[in-house]
Amino acid sequence: TCLVLCFLFVDPSTAAGWSPVLECVSIRDQLKSDYVRTAVQEGALLALYADLLQRLPLCQSLLQELSIANTILDWASRITITPENDYKIILLWVKLLELVLRQISYGTPHASVAPLLSSLTPLIFRASEDKASDGLLGALGLGKKSQLSTRFRLFSRALSAFLICQVPPGGSIRTMPLAPCHPLVKVPGQTAGAEAQKYFSKLEALGKSHAYETLHHVVPEASSFISNTQNCVMDTPRFVAQLVQALFAGDTSLAILLLGVPS
């Protein structure tokens, strides 16, 4: 696509490559809804992300930003991820997470944003599966082998495992270091979260998988970050940056996810 070609010629130091790209994107307001609808149908993820970067600065309230967060979730649930666009959907996932963190930072009740995290997390996890999990064959473990890249599937499995640990059952969100209810921590008289254990175990299994052999070093680093109770949902940008640097180094379109993130 045109936007993909743009990234071949931009300087990553200029707002991680997106500033000059946005200058090339100009859609008349009366055509915007058709533009977005077509972009979702065709999986034009860079076009959707460009639209978000132009739309968000125009928001005048947290309520407007929350509305956009719900719109991103809707897009993410409808877009078909392909081998050609898999890594690009990370931009939408992370933008949604950034908006959730802003809501939390400004005091929005957890009950208003926890459903966004609870809905996004399984979407990300399904993208990480080595076999298709939809339909009857998928439910029986007989789905078609995933054609998505191993680095994308590893990213998805790690991020979903981290997120599920930040939203324990009950609708609360772990927003502080050492916050209670980390589902991987066994507390006397209390069982660890079964779903979180499932996500985490599937991540660790990749460290022994031949298909992920060249990426084995990423698994223990991600597992350590996830199981560390010092880390909470507010550390999501740092974890994303860690994964992007390990799995997508040199990808200009994703370099924006590294901006302003402490190492």
Side-chain angles (χ1 to χ4, degrees), residues 107-131:
T108 300
H110 288 186
S112 298
V113 292
L116 285 167
L117 294 175
S118 297
S119 297
L120 178 65
T121 300
L123 278 179
I124 297 174
F125 180 74
R126 284 198 294 272
S128 79
E129 293 282 47
D130 294 322
K131 289 185 178 180

Side-chain angles (χ1 to χ4, degrees), residues 3-248:
L3 290 182
V4 172
L5 292 175
C6 285
F7 281 104
L8 298 177
F9 303 99
V10 299
D11 179 358
S13 66
T14 55
W18 276 93
S19 291
V21 172
L22 291 178
E23 294 175 2
C24 303
V25 180
S26 178
I27 308 297
R28 292 202 301 262
D29 288 342
Q30 57 266 40
L31 300 177
K32 187 62 69 75
S33 61
D34 288 338
Y35 168 82
V36 169
R37 182 168 56 251
T38 301
V40 171
Q41 291 172 347
E42 297 185 0
L45 295 161
L46 297 185
L48 289 171
Y49 191 68
D51 176 67
L52 289 173
L53 293 182
Q54 293 178 327
R55 192 192 309 190
L56 282 168
L58 303 178
C59 288
Q60 297 181 334
S61 69
L62 285 172
L63 192 59
Q64 289 178 338
E65 290 191 6
L66 187 59
S67 175
I68 290 179
N70 279 284
T71 295
I72 299 172
L73 179 62
D74 177 62
W75 292 349
S77 68
R78 292 192 288 127
I79 288 170
T80 299
I81 305 175
T82 68
E84 292 72 36
N85 73 8
D86 60 7
Y87 70 95
K88 300 171 191 172
I89 200 167
I90 292 172
L91 291 166
L92 297 191
W93 291 345
V94 175
K95 182 55 68 177
L96 171 53
L97 293 170
E98 288 175 0
L99 292 175
V100 167
L101 297 189
R102 273 181 56 81
Q103 295 287 328
I104 293 172
S105 296
Y106 284 99
T108 300
H110 288 186
S112 298
V113 292
L116 285 167
L117 294 175
S118 297
S119 297
L120 178 65
T121 300
L123 278 179
I124 297 174
F125 180 74
R126 284 198 294 272
S128 79
E129 293 282 47
D130 294 322
K131 289 185 178 180
S133 58
D134 54 338
L136 177 59
L137 290 178
L140 296 174
L142 301 174
K144 291 183 179 179
K145 182 178 179 181
S146 175
Q147 298 301 306
L148 305 180
S149 66
T150 52
R151 62 176 184 163
F152 171 74
R153 281 182 276 152
L154 174 50
F155 178 97
S156 303
R157 197 163 296 189
L159 183 57
S160 60
F162 175 74
L163 292 176
I164 200 170
C165 289
Q166 309 315 316
V167 190
S172 62
I173 302 176
R174 298 185 67 256
T175 60
M176 299 290 290
L178 299 176
C181 300
H182 193 295
L184 298 183
V185 176
K186 294 183 179 180
V187 178
Q190 179 179 319
T191 58
E195 198 71 1
Q197 286 285 0
K198 169 189 167 183
Y199 280 36
F200 189 71
S201 296
K202 286 211 164 191
L203 168 63
E204 292 202 305
L206 299 187
K208 302 175 183 177
S209 170
H210 178 71
Y212 294 81
E213 187 173 5
T214 59
L215 303 173
H216 280 177
H217 64 285
V218 180
V219 176
E221 295 172 358
S223 297
S224 176
F225 193 101
I226 294 166
S227 59
N228 186 348
T229 57
Q230 288 276 1
N231 297 322
C232 65
V233 74
M234 307 308 289
D235 295 297
T236 301
R238 191 159 56 90
F239 188 48
V240 166
Q242 175 181 311
L243 293 173
V244 168
Q245 288 175 319
L247 298 168
F248 300 97

